[in-house]
Amino acid sequence: MTLLTKKPLLIRLSTYLFNNEAKRTESRNFQTATCVLRHVNPTNVKNKSLSSQLWLKRQLSDPYVEKAKMHNYRCRSAFKLLEINEKYKFLKPGQIVVDCGAAPGSWTQVAVKEVNSIGQSSSDQLGKVFSIDKQHIYPIEGATILGNMDFTNPSTQTLLRTTLGDRQVQVVLSDMAPTATGIREMDTENMLTLCYNVIRFAVQVSEINGSLLVKLWQCGQAKKLETEISRFYRNVKFVKPNSSRHDSAEIFILGRYFKGLEK
Ligand SMILES: C[S@@+](CC[C@H](N)C(=O)[O-])C[C@H]1O[C@@H](n2cnc3c(N)ncnc32)[C@H](O)[C@@H]1O
């Protein structure tokens, strides 16, 4: 019986919380993952905090983390873009793609392959990917990297437009997320600021019939954002891929068939 052991209260409490969180995580994984599940208990966690232990356990049990390693993707997020593209097929050889909030780079890796920017597919159409993040991004063959740049800074967007030259963009991606402050209203506000920046940029650089995929967190303003995107894109949907964690508030809006801007 746990309560009769002589362990200090704090350790018993941690063990209790850890085991219960583990059970909840297992049931969530069971509902959402499409791969074979592995439940791994981390070792060497003695000096780690409870939250670090939980994070480690989740990482080790997550089939997409394992799959990302196998396919050489920089992180598990790759599967979100792969899944969405598998269904809606908006990435095609020859396209110009802008990837906002690209670090560490797994969406860029997927985009490079899909648009054939290094000529590896059977298509003779070569695309191009421009990847931007406020963090450093290690080079990715086939992509033009703009690291250490804040997308919301007007000078960054000017530089991006200069880099694009007279090329119009077929796909704008944004997996950007602000650093969470823990204050819900502020986090939502910061997320929406990123989304509106991306929409404004996308409508300026996109070709008619282009696509926009933008991440946001489920919140009261999501519907309003969808309506805003519908002003510019003929087909707009909310998408939640299986690889997006069930307990995560993230959701994506996919806008397709850009209507163009009246000059
Ligand atoms: C979830 S990660 C993106 C993961 C990426 N799609 C991948 O597959 O590797 C979110 C990224 O958004 C970036 N980000 C957040 N705010 C930003 C901003 N204002 N400008 C540029 N990047 C930003 C963060 O630095 C972070 O790298």
Side-chain angles (χ1 to χ4, degrees), residues 75 77 101-107 133-135 149-152 175-177 194 215:
C75 64
S77 305
S106 76
W107 277 29
D133 201 287
K134 66 178 181 188
Q135 293 182 43
M149 283 182 203
D150 185 340
F151 184 75
T152 60
D175 194 20
M176 279 192 289
L194 291 176
K215 174 163 87 178

Side-chain angles (χ1 to χ4, degrees), residues 226-242:
E226 185 203 22
T227 309
E228 196 62 31
I229 296 178
S230 306
R231 286 174 53 207
F232 304 106
Y233 292 81
R234 259 180 280 146
N235 186 294
V236 179
K237 312 189 138 45
F238 284 104
V239 195
K240 174 90 174 166
N242 286 326

